[in-house]
Amino acid sequence: MPAASAIRTLIVDDQLTMRALIRTSLQQIGVRDIEEAPDGEAALRAVITKPVHLVISDFNMPNLDGLGLLRGIRAHPPIAKTAFIMLTGRADRELVQRAVQYGVNNYLVKPFTTQQLKEKMESVFGPLT
Amino acid sequence: MSDDPFEAIKATFFQECEELLGDLETNLIALESGDTDIETINACFRAVHSVKGGAGAFGLDDLVRFAHVFETLMDELRSGRKAVDEDVVQSLLRASDVLNDHVTAARGAGPAVDPDRSQALIAELETLTHGAPVSGTDADAAGDMDDDFGFTPVALSLDDFGAGEAMPLMDLPALDLPPLDLPSLDAPVVTGGEQTGWKIIFRPHPRLYANANETALLLRELGRLGPISVEMDDSGLPSLEALEPLDSHLVWTIHLDAPVAELDVRDVFDFVETDCDLSIMSVMAEGAGASVVSDSLPDLDDGLPSLDTGAAAEFDIAALVAMAQADTASRLGGGGETAPVAETPKSTAAPAPAAPPVAANNATAAAPAAASAATAPVTIRVELDRVDRLINAVGELVIQQAMLAQRVYESGLARSSDISLGLEDLELLTREIQDSVMAIRAQPVKSVFQRMPRLVREVAAMTGKKVKLVTAGEDTEVDKTVVERLSEPITHMLRNAIDHGLESPEEREAAGKPVEGTVKLAALHRSGRIVIEISDDGKGINRQRVRSIAEERGLVTPDQILSDDEVDNLIFLPGFSTAQEVTDVSGRGVGMDVVRRSIQSLGGRISISSNPGKGSIFTMSLPLTLAVLDGMVVGAADQTLVAPLAAIVESLTPKAEDIHLVGGVDPVLMFRDEFVPLVDVGQTMEFRNEPTELKGGVVMIVETEGGQRAGLLVDAIHGQRQVVIKSLETNYRHVEGVAAATILGDGRVALILDIDVLVNTGRRRTTSLAELKMAS
């Protein structure tokens, strides 16, 4: 069982509010090592420089959206296996399907509870301690 | 601020909303003016989407419901399924107004939004989206997709990180992903071969040395774990001329020939881990090379250090970003059609070697984006309270510095003494700190200007006039307090300009003017103040009417000779209102005199100049800050007073023969071939009843905001000083002729004169030159 505290996580969202909310939820789950990026491009640069275990990313962002980020990560061998949870603002089947093609690990519809986030993370990493 | 993290985030959300709504407005206006660029539409979508996202998190249901419908329409426009036309843009603008109101209501800063109004607009937006209003709640507003999709999460076993197996991707063609070098979450999993030792690449940051750590000591420590061999790479060392001595240029590669635990190796670097790039690799018996178990080295190429990897990595990143962006663009541009499913995974599967050709095509495209990202200023959010405490402390510092300077001066120390020189440096430094602190509070007037298009729309709709609002100088910065208090007078003057200034479309047509009237709102810096101009191309001021009303109300006498400008400025007098009937728009009992007073309370002035048939210009001038003032310290009737330096033109010792009487009552001073009215400050302020002795008195020639000159008669001028403004209203009450108070270097309180009021009351009150005891 992986320890939540060992999962280095990058939060990607153009909204400060959402980043703060996700960070708070992650902290409640027990994640300690949390980085933030305001858009896909910054996130891609960040994960290449300093790999993470998990990226939690919004879809709709300037510069590079969530799909672009996912695609960039999967296309770069050293980080291609980074776990990726996509946040979506609404039930967009097409978007989720596209994300699946690009290798998304899971997705989460906003608004979400800490418990929902934890479940999504556990579906990827297994039960967290 | 609350301790509840949720409440704090909520406060952040509302702050962010304000920015988002501002962006939305700006982009909608751009749409309105014909800029239907996909990025503009996208930016609108994102703003609404983000407001909705945050609102959902906080359970603001009304806001979510409205934002959702708004977002859905934006999505239609974004995808090109619906064309952006004039009607749509007008609906969007109205929707943006209602969204604004919803946010204000949610924040508790305004009344709840009228449900009918909100519902009517929802219906309007839905009609645009679907061709008819949608009955009932939209199911997917808050729906969960799990059930609909049958989505299977893709599990990762972290223990297998680095094992190199392809990721299971449901039943889609598996991506041929190369192995991963990500760290395992558990203890280092060493695959294949027996571990014989460690290869450590260590690149200290300058901070490591700054924190008093030393490479040699770390190496010695490593040496205790087992035999080590050390290579130092000095290829990054610049030539002596280019050498920055405090930078770190060296990279060490250490081979530790002992199969010790990774933790032991890590322990050595425990205290410096954040101050260096560190890569710890296990070395296998087969000589299969090192496998990375540490990840803090930013190098991409297998952990091999070379000092230009930074640039190489940058290139790779730029190429990768460009590739990802290119893909995104093609996907977004796809209109309504479904994406070519078969094609994309293939390119996704293309491993890294495919990147360089892409890079060649896209690196240039990516470069400007990267550059703009790099130049974007880094900001932090700070509670205003903290800034204000700092400003207050700096204010006290200024006062203390002045008091110290005064003491030193009084002690009779020579000007060339070390203490005096040190004090001068201190003064310069204090000024610099003060300026920097003031700059923290400075904000562009944009936040106020952004709210005006909505107002103009509403007023135009109410009056049936066609109006175009042009803004300029939104980036002009001014103190936050000033920005906040600008909103009301600007609102009022804009209303006034549209309601009273602009003609109806028919009148305009008849006058040969474009049917659409133009109102311009501009901000600019002028001689240490901010000037806001509101101009219109309407009919201008009807001077005859203004004059007759003023006479009717007894504001002027029929025989008074007034210049055109003076007539125009009569509208600022209390109790003056030119509206023939009280209109819904500007005739709410708030006259221009109220506007003038609110501006005056900010230390500002307002004036109007009008050109009949062509339009009017209202000009407001305000100080950039309400915290400090450059002043002239003067004495009058044993009182120490401060006159704002900006108002002073010149000071002089008057001669008896230069003083004349106008109409036998009003004393005037002959100044540069011009008569200026003379105001006795001591008497006007009622510090003493008898007039000031002219003998030994000094006259300061001052100029009011309206450009009117007068001479202020005082006993003595003490000197020029920067003073910290303390509000008299807050600490005492408003006093006619006094703008504020300050504390002087000697600790005494001094009043800051309100020149305009003083000049106007002084002219009325100084009764007769005969009472002035002339110097004999």
Side-chain angles (χ1 to χ4, degrees):
Chain A
M1 273 200 281
S5 62
I7 301 177
R8 184 190 288 166
T9 307
L10 176 71
I11 303 168
V12 193
D13 200 311
D14 53 334
Q15 250 191 302
L16 193 64
T17 314
M18 289 314 298
R19 294 206 299 272
L21 283 170
I22 300 166
R23 176 182 281 271
T24 309
S25 287
L26 283 173
Q27 283 165 344
Q28 281 167 5
I29 293 168
V31 179
R32 292 283 163 266
D33 195 351
I34 305 169
E35 307 276 338
E36 292 181 17
D39 62 53
E41 186 183 335
L44 192 51
R45 286 171 187 278
V47 290
I48 287 173
T49 322
K50 189 178 175 193
V52 298
H53 296 106
L54 171 65
V55 171
I56 299 178
S57 172
D58 188 23
F59 163 64
N60 205 302
M61 294 177 293
N63 290 338
L64 182 63
D65 67 18
L67 279 186
L69 171 62
L70 173 58
R71 184 150 148 46
I73 288 176
R74 295 290 184 247
H76 189 57
I79 53 167
K81 282 192 73 178
T82 310
F84 199 107
I85 294 178
M86 180 86 80
L87 292 171
T88 67
R90 65 223 154 88
D92 185 339
R93 175 186 282 268
E94 200 190 329
L95 168 66
V96 174
Q97 281 173 344
R98 201 79 57 76
V100 167
Q101 287 159 23
Y102 289 149
V104 80
N105 293 89
N106 213 331
Y107 69 91
L108 184 55
V109 180
K110 292 188 278 189
F112 55 85
T113 61
T114 299
Q115 187 52 35
Q116 281 168 334
L117 175 62
K118 190 177 182 199
E119 280 162 16
K120 298 284 177 177
M121 286 174 68
E122 290 187 329
S123 75
V124 177
F125 293 109
L128 298 175
T129 54
Chain B
M1 191 172 281
S2 163
D3 286 338
D4 182 357
F6 205 64
E7 279 305 308
I9 298 173
K10 202 167 171 178
T12 312
F13 167 66
F14 285 121
Q15 263 177 33
E16 209 165 21
C17 266
E18 215 159 280
E19 287 162 24
L20 290 167
L21 292 170
D23 287 350
L24 176 63
E25 175 89 34
T26 309
N27 283 299
L28 286 179
I29 301 278
L31 273 186
E32 192 186 23
S33 59
D35 169 20
T36 50
D37 187 68
I38 181 77
E39 246 326 293
T40 312
I41 299 174
N42 241 324
C44 294
F45 173 84
R46 265 200 306 275
V48 180
H49 175 77
S50 295
V51 169
K52 185 186 122 180
F58 296 106
L60 306 168
D61 295 338
D62 284 356
L63 181 53
V64 172
R65 203 170 304 120
F66 188 83
H68 175 69
V69 178
F70 196 165
E71 181 195 29
T72 312
L73 175 57
M74 281 316 309
D75 196 30
E76 291 292 300
L77 300 173
R78 188 170 67 130
S79 65
R81 286 188 288 267
K82 170 122 190 99
V84 180
D85 60 27
E86 177 67 23
D87 285 350
V88 170
V89 174
Q90 290 311 318
S91 291
L92 292 177
L93 284 166
R94 278 196 293 277
S96 147
D97 295 346
V98 175
L99 186 65
N100 231 305
D101 291 347
H102 271 294
V103 170
T104 310
R107 186 170 47 189
V113 181
D114 174 13
D116 292 344
R117 176 159 166 259
S118 182
Q119 199 50 51
L121 212 62
I122 285 179
E124 186 178 330
L125 295 178
E126 282 174 343
T127 308
L128 285 170
T129 310
H130 309 288
V134 179
S135 54
T137 23
D138 206 329
D140 67 356
D144 191 357
M145 285 187 282
D146 285 17
D147 305 336
D148 313 340
F149 280 82
F151 179 90
T152 315
V154 182
L156 282 181
S157 168
L158 285 164
D159 299 340
D160 289 344
F161 260 57
E165 65 185 56
M167 198 175 291
L169 287 174
M170 299 180 58
D171 49 354
L172 287 156
L175 301 182
D176 184 17
L177 290 172
L180 246 201
D181 278 343
L182 253 190
S184 159
L185 283 178
D186 297 330
V189 177
V190 180
T191 47
E194 193 186 328
Q195 193 208 339
T196 59
W198 298 94
K199 179 183 175 190
I200 300 141
I201 300 164
F202 172 61
R203 183 196 293 175
H205 296 167
R207 211 170 55 187
L208 182 135
Y209 299 112
N211 289 343
N213 288 299
E214 179 51 63
T215 308
L217 296 176
L218 295 168
L219 295 180
R220 194 184 301 162
E221 202 60 36
L222 272 179
R224 294 207 176 116
L225 296 174
I228 57 168
S229 61
V230 181
E231 293 160 29
M232 187 189 73
D233 180 0
D234 63 356
S235 58
L237 205 59
S239 64
L240 198 57
E241 304 89 74
L243 183 73
E244 178 55 58
L246 291 181
D247 260 1
S248 172
H249 304 285
L250 303 176
V251 180
W252 280 271
T253 306
I254 305 117
H255 295 274
L256 171 61
D257 200 12
V260 293
E262 191 199 348
L263 210 59
D264 292 335
V265 181
R266 244 168 219 294
D267 266 355
V268 173
F269 296 96
D270 201 19
F271 291 108
V272 297
E273 212 166 4
T274 54
D275 296 337
C276 66
D277 294 335
L278 183 65
S279 173
I280 301 173
M281 288 161 278
S282 60
V283 176
M284 305 303 156
E286 287 86 355
S291 84
V292 182
V293 296
S294 171
D295 44 50
S296 39
L297 191 79
D299 296 344
L300 295 173
D301 47 8
D302 207 17
L304 289 175
S306 79
L307 282 179
D308 53 14
T309 45
E314 188 57 31
F315 181 75
D316 277 348
I317 295 173
L320 193 62
V321 169
M323 182 186 66
Q325 270 167 342
D327 185 65
T328 307
S330 69
R331 191 177 44 73
L332 271 179
E337 78 214 31
T338 39
V341 173
E343 185 194 320
T344 30
K346 250 182 227 152
S347 56
T348 313
V358 179
N361 294 335
N362 288 317
T364 43
S372 73
T375 50
V378 180
T379 58
I380 55 163
R381 280 161 199 264
V382 181
E383 237 175 293
L384 187 60
D385 206 36
R386 294 192 194 189
V387 176
D388 286 346
R389 280 209 297 274
L390 183 62
I391 286 185
N392 236 321
V394 172
E396 300 298 328
L397 178 68
V398 170
I399 292 170
Q400 277 301 328
Q401 187 272 328
M403 286 168 79
L404 194 58
Q406 178 108 4
R407 297 274 183 283
V408 168
Y409 173 72
E410 284 164 2
S411 73
L413 268 175
R415 279 208 170 269
S416 59
S417 73
D418 284 351
I419 291 182
S420 298
L421 292 176
L423 261 177
E424 270 171 38
D425 288 345
L426 180 64
E427 186 180 345
L428 285 177
L429 201 60
T430 314
R431 277 249 178 185
E432 201 180 313
I433 294 174
Q434 197 170 26
D435 287 348
S436 311
V437 169
M438 292 305 165
I440 297 178
R441 274 188 62 104
Q443 280 195 327
V445 292
K446 197 174 183 174
S447 58
V448 176
F449 279 25
Q450 257 174 355
R451 271 178 265 160
M452 296 307 151
R454 170 179 185 177
L455 174 94
V456 170
R457 276 199 299 282
E458 286 176 353
V459 177
M462 252 186 266
T463 55
K465 293 175 182 174
K466 282 195 174 293
V467 190
K468 183 170 82 186
L469 177 70
V470 180
T471 56
E474 291 100 327
D475 295 328
T476 312
E477 288 194 337
V478 67
D479 187 87
K480 187 174 161 57
T481 326
V482 179
V483 173
E484 280 161 2
R485 288 165 71 179
L486 275 177
S487 176
E488 204 188 301
I490 291 181
T491 304
H492 197 83
M493 285 193 297
L494 274 180
R495 277 205 181 115
N496 208 72
I498 299 168
D499 196 19
H500 300 316
L502 292 182
E503 312 91 328
S504 66
E506 300 77 42
E507 283 172 322
R508 288 186 68 89
E509 204 160 18
K513 288 181 177 182
V515 175
E516 188 179 55
T518 303
V519 176
K520 190 176 172 193
L521 174 61
L524 57 142
H525 280 301
R526 191 184 289 159
S527 54
R529 292 173 76 86
I530 183 172
V531 174
I532 309 270
E533 279 183 358
I534 292 168
S535 50
D536 64 67
D537 63 348
K539 53 183 179 278
I541 290 211
N542 182 342
R543 294 202 177 105
Q544 268 177 325
R545 230 189 104 60
V546 167
R547 168 117 213 184
S548 68
I549 289 174
E551 283 174 17
E552 226 169 81
R553 319 232 154 136
L555 300 169
V556 290
T557 52
D559 55 341
Q560 243 174 310
I561 297 163
L562 295 171
S563 68
D564 285 351
D565 263 6
E566 281 173 319
V567 174
D568 291 347
N569 284 286
L570 287 176
I571 62 164
F572 293 113
L573 289 180
F576 189 97
S577 175
T578 49
Q580 303 236 339
E581 65 243 56
V582 172
T583 65
D584 259 0
V585 183
S586 45
R588 286 203 186 115
V590 185
M592 292 307 282
D593 60 314
V594 177
V595 175
R596 186 171 71 160
R597 224 174 302 141
S598 79
I599 291 166
Q600 278 175 341
S601 73
L602 287 171
R605 311 287 173 219
I606 182 168
S607 62
I608 180 180
S609 80
S610 176
N611 193 346
K614 298 272 173 57
S616 313
I617 305 178
F618 284 92
T619 309
M620 295 196 282
S621 134
L622 295 154
L624 294 179
T625 166
L626 305 178
V628 285
L629 175 87
D630 279 309
M632 185 70 84
V633 182
V634 300
D638 297 330
Q639 297 288 323
T640 307
L641 303 165
V642 178
L645 204 59
I648 300 172
V649 180
E650 191 171 333
S651 50
L652 51 101
T653 315
K655 294 188 209 106
E657 61 266 30
D658 287 338
I659 294 175
H660 303 268
L661 283 178
V662 175
V665 258
D666 294 328
V668 293
L669 176 75
M670 183 70 169
F671 171 70
R672 295 190 192 283
D673 298 331
E674 188 189 343
F675 287 109
V676 295
L678 206 52
V679 177
D680 181 349
V681 174
Q683 202 183 27
T684 308
M685 298 290 292
E686 296 175 358
F687 293 142
R688 61 177 162 218
N689 291 323
E690 67 279 9
T692 302
E693 288 270 1
L694 204 54
K695 187 179 182 180
V698 186
V699 169
M700 287 186 299
I701 304 295
V702 294
E703 194 171 78
T704 64
E705 283 302 324
Q708 185 190 0
R709 285 187 171 186
L712 297 186
L713 182 59
V714 295
D715 296 345
I717 288 182
H718 298 315
Q720 184 186 327
R721 203 150 314 155
Q722 190 177 52
V723 296
V724 179
I725 299 175
K726 304 270 178 190
S727 164
L728 200 61
E729 268 109 301
T730 322
N731 299 307
Y732 177 53
R733 62 177 179 82
H734 179 76
V735 176
E736 186 82 353
V738 175
T742 188
I743 302 166
L744 292 176
D746 56 9
R748 274 185 302 157
V749 172
L751 301 178
I752 300 171
L753 297 173
D754 185 334
I755 300 294
D756 277 41
V757 173
L758 200 63
V759 167
N760 289 322
T761 50
R763 285 173 76 189
R764 290 201 297 270
R765 216 175 282 171
T766 308
T767 44
S768 160
L769 178 69
E771 288 177 32
L772 278 171
K773 290 176 189 156
M774 302 289 293
S776 53

